[in-house]
Amino acid sequence: MTRALRLNKGIEQGVLDLLKFLLDSGKVKGVFTLNKINSNGDVSYSIITRSSDLDSAVPFFPLMPANAGKLLSRFTLKGGTKEPIVAVVKPCELRAFVELIKREQGSLENIFFISLTCGGVYPLKTEVDGTIKEDIPKYWDAVSKGEILGDLRPACRGCTEFKPHTADITFDVIGSKDLDKQSIAFLNTEKGEELAKGMKGEFLEKELDSKKLNEFKIKRESEKKKLFDELNIKMNGMDGLIDIFGKCIGCHGCMRVCPICYCKLCEFESPDAEYKPSTFETELKKRGGVRIPPGIIYYQLGRLTHIGISCVGCGACDDVCPMDIPVSTIFKKVGESVQKLFDYVPGRDVEEKIPLVTFEKEEFKDVEE
Amino acid sequence: MNDSKNTLAKGVTVSSKFGIKETIIDFLKRAMDKKIFDAILIPIKVPAGDSFVYVLLNEKSLFKDAMPLPPIMSVQGAKAISSITRLGKGNLKIAAVMRPCEIRATNELAKLKQVDLENITLISMDCPGVLPTSYFLKDPEKMTMRFNEAAERQDDSIMRPVCQICDKSSMVAGDLHIGTLGAKKDTFFIISNSQKGDDVIHKLEMRLEDNINSWHESVKKYSQEKHIKRKKNLKSLKSKVGGLDNLIDTFSQCINCHNCMKACPICYCRLCYFDSDKVKHPSEEYLEMAEDKGTLRFLPDTILFHVGRMMHMSVSCVSCGSCEDACPMSIPVAQIFSMVADETQDLFGYVSGRDVNEPIPLTVYKEDEFHEVED
């Protein structure tokens, strides 16, 4: 059994009350959360230190303007925070941050995590056209019924890692009734229990309902299969790759928003990816025509090789692609097959080593001759 | 506006009975036969048909999918030229067929030493604008038709917002220019703007004449109309985005992906200042900033990035619109940058990319300027 806390407030207000309590009681110095930053209602991650400023916070808003894992890495890259901070993030953001920690791109020190069983987020374009504001009631209704909305990010529709692995506190929302009236937070760790201590509400011993989560997972699995199937028709060989990535303009937006891609200077923006005129001349002799700038497929495959093992399938790449290439579906498909080979779930456990940095004598016998 | 340095350019009238595109490609093929060019850099339709990309080709059969004036600008041409000549000129004589703003950006990159033009002949065309990429992607085939129809009747209403206010769409800043404005039915002009251009014409046994007045006049009229529209639109934009509060609101949805910078033909830095260590701070400092204000938006440095980038490149901005097209949040970046660029360039009487020999203002010293900012 896990300790849990029942709050007599709907999910959105419930988490906000908890955050206020944490800040007011001095248990944390700052709250990292999604926040409405202007009268337009535009949402961005913010660090809030003043309790009254939390009125504009929207911790569980179904949008990911940037993967929080990347932002927390930026926050702690030059050393962990000395003051305690609580971060409200989605499961894939937490996993991304853990992957970055393994790569020494940040610190977990003094950061507590609140997350939720995640119903997914809307694409960024819904913030641009403003439709997301109207969709919020519909969103929570679907989440409480354990339904998958068709207009969510494709990556979210097919996500089976909706339950956070390492959050200190997890709000139980998928398939939970009366989300507008009450909310239940599971206190998964000692830190989580410590944080919640003194909070007004009913403390219980409870377990996350694995049956309803499994049912939800089956729905997500079938959505994922649908996404992969739609893509599969074109996935074969070089021609297939050219069909999909042919329109890529090489803006590298996908790389820049990817929480795993942390390199200061990407290999594909380095001198390695620049060619002497003589190289073009040689290629021209061989092929009669060279795409300029070259290396579109090379970049995509290279990035896949570099980050596939740690891809958390957050879908940030999809959302920024100006050419509407289904980047995340491809990366998720390839990423998952690589991860399966090593029985690795990126971000599940900070102690679990990235497979490619460990050596196991007894593996892949089948590739020996 | 469209006044290039060489307003007295001469030209050749060419028959285009078999289509403008076909005639241009035929011209390029003949120049290859005569060994004037070894290879051509030209937009080609990708196999899936959903974009046009630059291809450097010497195999003539590849011309079958070539489109000298494609409906979109997927990669700014200056970036393509930089890609092949950044590390120095090659042995091949290359003709590059692109839009005027791409050639202007190429000239700026040449000044910034990111392009070597010695063996490159730049060929531009009267430009009707390009479609926003997102619009094109909805249905590439249908949108290509729609683009061609709109180009035909000089209707810019479906083009990129900055194309709708472009007053340099016929600026001759390269070596040769294809002029369609003011040409008689089934003809167009080939205009030379340099010794390199003259040589191509002579080697192809064509004769340059002073008979392109009708083009000059049409261009003048057209670009004057656009100039007025540009001033008007940018003025009204300024009232919406001017001042810090409006600026913050305008960029409030920015997600710091830096797509605008990556798509910008002028932003050539390998490692942008705003991606460098300089802008990364210890967590204490971020927390201090948050405590000062109660709330710190974290994406940090959004306005700093845009204003900083503006300072770095606005004097060379060619208003191509690539930044805006690449923005996942549909922020009118190109319009804002154009507005500022017009003003910074005006201060120096500079027109970015107009002339490859005109130095970038910030690289030259003039004793007698800006007296008004002296004490």
Side-chain angles (χ1 to χ4, degrees):
Chain A
M1 286 304 217
T2 316
R3 291 277 280 172
L5 172 64
R6 190 204 307 274
L7 302 169
N8 291 325
K9 290 277 178 61
I11 179 70
E12 287 169 295
Q13 190 59 42
V15 63
L16 219 44
D17 284 358
L18 177 60
L19 294 173
K20 274 197 175 168
F21 164 74
L22 293 176
L23 212 47
D24 289 340
S25 62
K27 291 190 181 190
V28 300
K29 244 314 189 325
V31 177
F32 176 91
T33 174
L34 287 172
N35 182 32
K36 286 195 172 158
I37 54 167
N38 57 19
S39 53
N40 250 345
D42 294 328
V43 170
S44 166
Y45 273 107
S46 299
I47 297 173
I48 299 178
T49 55
R50 191 188 293 146
S51 171
S52 58
D53 281 11
L54 277 173
D55 291 340
S56 57
V58 281
F60 289 149
F61 199 72
L63 186 77
M64 191 187 294
N67 186 301
K70 202 173 185 83
L71 300 177
L72 288 170
S73 156
R74 171 87 177 258
F75 179 57
T76 60
L77 185 64
K78 298 203 162 170
T81 166
K82 298 194 176 57
E83 308 278 5
I85 298 286
V86 64
V88 190
V89 297
K90 298 181 170 71
C92 62
E93 296 176 304
L94 182 51
R95 292 200 296 129
F97 189 45
V98 169
E99 286 300 292
L100 286 169
I101 298 293
K102 294 180 190 176
R103 287 168 168 75
E104 295 173 33
Q105 296 303 309
S107 164
L108 288 169
E109 202 183 338
N110 287 321
I111 305 187
F112 309 116
F113 292 97
I114 296 180
S115 191
L116 76 172
T117 51
C118 181
V121 300
Y122 286 102
L124 288 178
K125 66 174 190 313
T126 62
E127 191 183 42
V128 176
D129 63 24
T131 53
I132 191 165
K133 286 171 212 160
E134 295 139 37
D135 286 340
I136 301 300
K138 193 178 77 189
Y139 174 83
W140 287 113
D141 186 48
V143 168
S144 79
K145 288 180 184 146
E147 286 166 4
I148 300 164
L149 290 166
D151 46 2
L152 295 178
R153 262 189 185 170
C156 298
R157 297 204 302 266
C159 172
T160 50
E161 287 289 339
F162 50 84
K163 187 181 139 192
H165 289 276
T166 60
D168 296 298
I169 297 177
T170 299
F171 276 84
D172 174 25
V173 301
I174 287 173
S176 292
K177 283 185 195 112
D178 300 327
L179 275 179
D180 51 337
K181 294 190 195 78
Q182 62 156 358
S183 41
I184 293 180
F186 284 87
L187 315 173
N188 308 317
T189 63
E190 268 175 44
K191 281 195 283 182
E193 284 189 38
E194 191 56 40
L195 285 176
K197 200 184 268 177
M199 175 75 191
K200 236 185 1 200
E202 185 190 346
F203 284 87
L204 333 149
E205 295 287 328
K206 208 171 150 52
E207 212 61 71
L208 258 175
D209 183 348
S210 55
K211 188 166 160 267
K212 76 174 184 190
L213 292 185
N214 281 339
E215 279 166 17
F216 188 67
K217 192 167 183 173
I218 290 164
K219 287 187 199 169
R220 285 276 180 92
E221 293 278 9
S222 100
E223 281 293 321
K224 180 157 76 182
K225 188 169 176 302
K226 230 190 278 172
L227 283 170
F228 286 173
D229 285 350
E230 278 166 23
L231 195 70
N232 224 12
I233 39 170
K234 297 179 188 165
M235 272 298 270
N236 294 322
M238 196 58 181
D239 287 345
L241 286 170
I242 292 174
D243 265 352
I244 289 187
F245 290 119
K247 59 183 169 176
C248 167
I249 60 169
C251 69
H252 297 183
C254 45
M255 172 268 274
R256 222 160 279 271
V257 297
C258 174
I260 308 300
C261 272
Y262 68 85
C263 294
K264 190 175 287 164
L265 181 61
C266 175
E267 156 89 20
F268 304 99
E269 292 180 358
S270 78
D272 272 3
E274 287 173 6
Y275 303 96
K276 290 198 190 111
S278 58
T279 313
F280 291 106
E281 285 156 27
T282 316
E283 287 300 309
L284 213 51
K285 256 184 216 147
K286 272 196 284 191
R287 298 193 275 156
V290 190
R291 182 177 169 149
I292 311 290
I296 293 294
I297 305 288
Y298 178 55
Y299 159 72
Q300 296 287 355
L301 293 185
R303 203 173 82 83
L304 252 179
T305 315
H306 292 172
I307 69 115
I309 189 73
S310 290
C311 173
V312 295
C314 66
C317 46
D318 261 12
D319 256 14
V320 297
C321 180
M323 302 307 283
D324 296 342
I325 298 168
V327 196
S328 83
T329 311
I330 296 158
F331 273 60
K332 189 164 175 150
K333 184 167 171 65
V334 178
E336 280 189 0
S337 34
V338 181
Q339 292 159 17
K340 211 176 273 171
L341 279 177
F342 296 96
D343 186 25
Y344 184 73
V345 176
R348 171 171 56 186
D349 176 1
V350 72
E351 301 301 331
E352 191 175 11
K353 293 235 166 34
I354 300 170
L356 298 176
V357 303
T358 56
F359 174 68
E360 281 181 36
K361 209 169 162 191
E362 297 295 326
E363 65 177 356
F364 296 116
K365 285 268 192 244
D366 39 326
V367 295
E368 291 171 12
E369 13 126 65
Chain B
M1 283 184 285
N2 270 304
D3 306 332
S4 53
K5 287 265 156 157
N6 186 358
T7 46
L8 298 170
K10 294 181 178 185
V12 186
T13 309
V14 180
S15 158
S16 63
K17 262 202 310 249
F18 302 107
I20 294 176
K21 178 183 124 184
E22 290 71 12
T23 311
I24 293 170
I25 289 175
D26 184 59
F27 172 85
L28 296 169
K29 282 182 178 168
R30 279 195 294 138
M32 285 173 84
D33 289 340
K34 295 229 169 197
K35 310 269 185 253
I36 304 169
F37 305 130
D38 302 311
I40 311 289
L41 183 72
I42 192 167
I44 302 266
K45 193 195 261 191
V46 298
D50 53 4
S51 188
F52 293 84
V53 300
Y54 277 104
V55 170
L56 181 65
L57 61 88
N58 62 3
E59 166 57 53
K60 288 191 197 122
S61 65
L62 293 177
F63 274 121
K64 72 179 178 0
D65 291 321
M67 187 76 110
L69 208 59
I72 54 166
M73 184 187 293
S74 61
V75 170
Q76 227 271 8
K79 284 192 113 71
I81 303 227
S82 173
S83 168
I84 40 180
T85 66
R86 188 180 195 174
L87 301 182
K89 69 178 160 73
N91 298 314
L92 300 179
K93 290 205 164 32
I94 295 170
V97 184
M98 39 187 65
R99 292 176 139 90
C101 65
E102 295 177 289
I103 290 187
R104 289 171 51 226
T106 305
N107 284 343
E108 288 302 293
L109 284 183
K111 297 174 197 178
L112 295 161
K113 303 204 166 39
Q114 302 302 311
V115 151
D116 189 323
L117 287 176
E118 193 177 318
N119 285 336
I120 308 271
T121 301
L122 298 170
I123 306 175
S124 55
M125 259 169 292
D126 284 346
C127 175
V130 295
L131 299 178
T133 307
S134 56
Y135 182 67
F136 168 82
L137 286 173
K138 284 181 190 156
D139 186 343
E141 206 174 318
K142 196 165 119 198
M143 295 307 170
T144 304
M145 268 161 54
R146 200 168 281 180
F147 167 80
N148 289 335
E149 287 160 15
E152 184 84 19
R153 46 170 209 273
Q154 278 190 33
D155 169 11
D156 59 18
S157 61
I158 57 169
M159 308 298 178
R160 279 180 178 171
V162 282
C163 296
Q164 295 179 27
I165 54 167
C166 176
D167 55 6
K168 299 179 183 66
S169 55
S170 294
M171 182 179 267
V172 185
D175 302 298
L176 290 168
H177 181 85
I178 314 281
T180 47
L181 296 173
K184 290 207 183 84
K185 191 173 182 303
D186 290 337
T187 69
F188 62 76
F189 303 112
I190 300 179
I191 299 152
S192 173
N193 187 47
S194 69
Q195 189 58 50
K196 239 190 240 173
D198 289 358
D199 289 348
V200 174
I201 299 290
H202 291 144
K203 283 186 191 153
L204 285 173
E205 287 152 22
M206 299 198 274
R207 223 152 55 99
L208 289 164
E209 287 170 20
D210 294 312
N211 59 358
I212 55 168
N213 278 342
S214 62
W215 177 79
H216 279 302
E217 276 158 27
S218 303
V219 167
K220 198 170 162 194
K221 183 167 165 281
Y222 184 62
S223 58
Q224 259 165 4
E225 284 166 20
K226 297 277 271 211
H227 185 69
I228 293 166
K229 192 168 161 197
R230 182 179 184 90
K231 289 278 172 211
K232 189 173 142 250
N233 286 19
L234 292 182
K235 195 175 163 200
S236 100
L237 181 69
K238 194 171 182 179
S239 68
K240 283 182 215 137
V241 302
L244 188 58
D245 288 342
N246 285 335
L247 206 60
I248 290 174
D249 264 352
T250 306
F251 287 108
S252 63
Q253 293 188 341
C254 171
I255 58 166
N256 274 12
C257 67
H258 296 187
N259 270 13
C260 47
M261 175 264 277
K262 286 299 299 182
C264 174
I266 307 299
C267 272
Y268 66 85
C269 294
R270 179 165 288 150
L271 181 61
C272 176
Y273 176 86
F274 301 100
D275 284 331
S276 78
D277 250 13
K278 287 274 188 198
V279 298
K280 291 170 188 153
H281 306 288
S283 49
E284 299 96 271
E285 282 180 31
Y286 289 125
L287 213 49
E288 251 170 56
M289 285 188 250
E291 278 172 351
D292 278 351
K293 299 195 284 181
T295 301
L296 173 69
R297 181 177 186 239
F298 204 86
L299 307 169
D301 305 336
T302 305
I303 302 291
L304 182 73
F305 164 69
H306 288 290
V307 174
R309 197 174 84 83
M310 219 174 246
M311 287 176 52
H312 291 172
M313 53 63 70
S314 82
V315 81
S316 291
C317 172
V318 297
S319 290
C320 66
S322 297
C323 48
E324 197 163 308
D325 236 29
C327 177
M329 304 309 282
S330 305
I331 297 167
V333 209
Q335 297 167 65
I336 296 168
F337 273 61
S338 296
M339 174 187 90
V340 175
D342 275 13
E343 296 195 21
T344 48
Q345 293 177 21
D346 271 355
L347 277 178
F348 298 97
Y350 183 73
V351 175
S352 61
R354 165 174 60 181
D355 179 353
V356 71
N357 296 313
E358 189 176 14
I360 295 177
L362 298 175
T363 63
V364 288
Y365 172 68
K366 286 188 195 164
E367 205 174 333
D368 269 308
E369 63 179 355
F370 295 115
H371 282 305
E372 64 272 26
V373 297
E374 291 170 14
D375 60 358

